[in-house]
Amino acid sequence: MDPLKIAIISRAPRCYSTKRIREACTKRGHKPKVLDPLKFGIYVESKHPSLTFRSRRLSEYDAVIPRIGSSVTFYGAAVVRQFEQMGVWSANPSQSIIISRDKLRSLQVLSRYDLGIAPSAFVRDRKDVLPAIERVGGAPVIVKLLEGTQGVGVILADSIKIAEAIIETLQSKSLNVLIQKFVSESRGKDIRAFVVGDRVVAAMRRKAVGTEFRSNVHRGGETESVTLTEEYERTAVRAAQILGLRVAGVDMLEGADGPVIMEVNSSPGLEGIENATNVDVAGAIVDYLVENVRFDDLDIRQRLGLARGFQVAEFTVGTDSNLAGKSIADSGLRERDVIVLSINRSGQVHAAPKGDDEIHAGDLLLCYGRKNTLRDYLPLKKPKRKKAKAKNNS
Ligand code: ADP
Ligand code: MG
């Protein structure tokens, strides 16, 4: 294979992670360059999106690996987005980087799925603060800044009074704070799973030292290599996939009922995890890049919707559906201009099923086809409301 030109977008050419990724590229015969995101110029012109670097026209790249620090998220993500417009593959999409930087936004997105997350509340009105604290489990409670990193901005408030005072203080400084259940059973430990593509390539447990409850390596946390159970592994990979990240550090607490996702990092550090596990994580990232660089990130809904009257849709096959128990060939879908792209049966995805594959009640079908046919299978979603709470709804 021809050597690939790979841009590592980083402000820190000498930091461990950047150096390791660059080495991994070189070792595989590719051509890496570390480029400071703030030295790019972004030029937005119809059909000619382009970039300059240090005021000169940027040469052509095959792929980018964003390593964007939280202090330059906005500009860094704009640079990655520009590469995307120019058709250059990125290890993490710009949109996913932006979502992952906001702890509220990422938890909101994850909350739709069947994954353990730390119950959290976000309120603005003073009258809502106390009910919010109580609803996530009362004191002690975690109060955290939406955009903190390395443990800074994560506070454990022992009492409701202290929590209220902290929240009021931060809000008065126009800072956004999340109120979150304190997962005490994890006792200052957490799991960092390093996800590359569809697998966890390395995982470690981090332990806070002394009276500290935050296990971040930057807070003195100690690390050890762990082998994840299938449940933890699946949770980490799913979380990354839902947020659209192909390279991610998924932080999970070990809750009483299994993994509790706290946050998903889009530029996870390599030093801690490589030292703790002896895994060549940088190599795994570059191997993944090489394998996937030809696959453009296309927005399937946008593309397929271009044919008038056609769309992609996902629906569950009801027990009374005329599809249940039939093979795809006998279902009549194809005759009515619908193609089944995949069948999800209790979490197991059967991709590109064939005519003799059967459709069961309870299957989640992903289809592409004529809207007039698909509409019959798409129920209107009415929010389920619990009776007891109905009287408080406004
Ligand atoms: P940061 O982005 O600063 O790393 P995190 O949300 O990951 O912020 O929190 C930092 C650390 O604080 C975590 O690694 C964990 O040890 C501890 N922590 C955070 N949230 C909770 C929680 N809800 N319950 C218990 N410990 C927590
Ligand atoms: Mg963290």
Side-chain angles (χ1 to χ4, degrees), residues 103 149-151 190 192 206 216 251 262-263 265:
K103 293 182 208 282
T149 54
Q150 306 182 344
D190 74 354
R192 159 60 63 91
R206 301 180 298 192
N216 300 66
D251 291 349
M262 256 180 322
E263 65 160 346
N265 299 277

Side-chain angles (χ1 to χ4, degrees), residues 116-326:
I117 54 170
S120 306
F122 188 58
V123 296
R124 198 54 201 275
D125 195 298
R126 267 173 92 160
K127 291 197 197 72
D128 284 328
V129 171
L130 185 59
I133 296 172
E134 280 169 350
R135 179 144 172 184
V136 303
V141 67
I142 297 275
V143 177
K144 61 172 87 160
L145 292 179
L146 290 196
E147 307 204 341
T149 54
Q150 306 182 344
V152 178
V154 180
I155 303 160
L156 176 59
D158 280 323
S159 73
I160 289 185
K161 278 260 160 314
I162 296 174
E164 282 182 315
I166 294 167
I167 294 163
E168 198 177 330
T169 308
L170 295 173
Q171 286 185 340
S172 75
K173 296 283 169 221
S174 301
L175 292 165
N176 286 318
V177 292
L178 200 62
I179 300 166
Q180 192 169 76
K181 179 190 171 76
F182 174 50
V183 182
S184 57
E185 65 267 28
S186 77
R187 292 170 212 286
K189 291 180 304 187
D190 74 354
I191 301 275
R192 159 60 63 91
F194 204 109
V195 176
V196 177
D198 52 11
R199 65 195 185 96
V200 171
V201 294
M204 63 180 173
R205 182 178 282 118
R206 301 180 298 192
K207 247 176 89 186
V209 288
T211 54
E212 178 61 66
F213 74 97
R214 295 165 298 180
S215 53
N216 300 66
V217 176
H218 285 93
R219 302 267 74 76
E222 289 166 356
T223 59
E224 63 181 24
S225 179
V226 284
T227 310
L228 296 187
T229 62
E230 211 212 295
E231 186 187 21
Y232 277 79
E233 172 144 7
R234 190 165 17 94
T235 301
V237 172
R238 272 297 276 154
Q241 282 177 343
I242 289 166
L243 296 174
L245 295 169
R246 297 180 273 235
V247 175
V250 182
D251 291 349
M252 296 170 284
L253 293 165
E254 292 168 277
D257 303 318
V260 177
I261 301 168
M262 256 180 322
E263 65 160 346
V264 184
N265 299 277
S266 56
S267 290
L270 298 190
E271 188 165 13
I273 194 110
E274 287 197 338
N275 287 333
T277 63
N278 280 321
V279 173
D280 177 10
V281 175
I285 296 174
V286 177
D287 288 340
Y288 180 80
L289 179 157
V290 172
E291 209 179 294
N292 289 278
V293 69
R294 288 161 195 270
F295 292 92
D296 222 350
D297 254 320
L298 54 87
D299 178 345
I300 186 167
R301 267 182 177 273
Q302 190 207 35
R303 297 289 165 86
L304 299 181
L306 285 178
R308 192 174 290 164
F310 282 74
Q311 237 336 330
V312 270
E314 192 178 52
F315 59 90
T316 303
V317 178
T319 38
D320 52 354
S321 163
N322 59 9
L323 302 175
K326 295 218 178 90

Side-chain angles (χ1 to χ4, degrees), residues 332-378:
L333 287 173
R334 193 67 196 83
E335 288 72 18
R336 292 193 290 151
D337 296 327
V338 169
I339 295 171
V340 181
L341 302 172
S342 75
I343 300 178
N344 183 330
R345 188 168 297 155
S346 348
Q348 294 281 13
V349 179
H350 179 27
K354 298 197 172 42
D356 52 3
D357 285 315
E358 242 188 64
I359 300 170
H360 294 185
D363 283 355
L364 188 62
L365 299 192
L366 179 64
C367 297
Y368 171 56
R370 193 175 289 285
K371 282 203 269 187
N372 280 340
T373 306
L374 289 169
R375 202 175 286 117
D376 292 346
Y377 299 102
L378 303 175

